[in-house]
Amino acid sequence: MHINVGTGEDLSIGELAETVKRIVHPAATIIYDTSKPDGTPRKLLDVSRLHALGWRHRMSLGEGIEHTYNWFLANYATARGVSA
């Protein structure tokens, strides 16, 4: 079973977009909506209670995205019921 509780590390939307681009399609171009210069509010998960219990994340966000994308590529046809 997987539980996504976060890492307690902050990441901007731009950094997330660059991470996804690097993993999924490095040649892609990211286009930013400059009509919204303030972006989205910060949404950082507080994991201090988990850390106090001795828990630490074992996988970075980039590793998780890469792992999930590779699973998707390997399982797309069977997950969608499409024959290869």
Side-chain angles (χ1 to χ4, degrees):
M1 173 170 35
H2 293 90
I3 300 172
N4 183 4
V5 295
T7 63
E9 299 170 3
D10 206 3
L11 183 73
S12 72
I13 296 296
E15 290 167 326
L16 176 59
E18 289 292 338
T19 299
V20 172
K21 172 186 166 182
R22 177 181 54 79
I23 294 166
V24 176
H25 187 46
T29 301
I30 297 173
I31 300 171
Y32 293 92
D33 184 351
T34 56
S35 71
K36 297 176 177 64
D38 292 335
T40 59
R42 185 175 177 204
K43 295 180 180 172
L44 178 62
L45 181 65
D46 179 4
V47 294
S48 60
R49 293 168 103 182
L50 288 168
H51 286 180
L53 294 171
W55 180 88
R56 297 286 187 272
H57 67 278
R58 292 181 280 169
M59 186 179 294
S60 70
L61 179 62
E63 290 169 327
I65 293 170
E66 188 168 3
H67 178 79
T68 302
Y69 183 61
N70 287 335
W71 179 92
F72 170 79
L73 292 175
N75 294 280
Y76 177 76
T78 55
R80 296 276 300 162
V82 178
S83 58

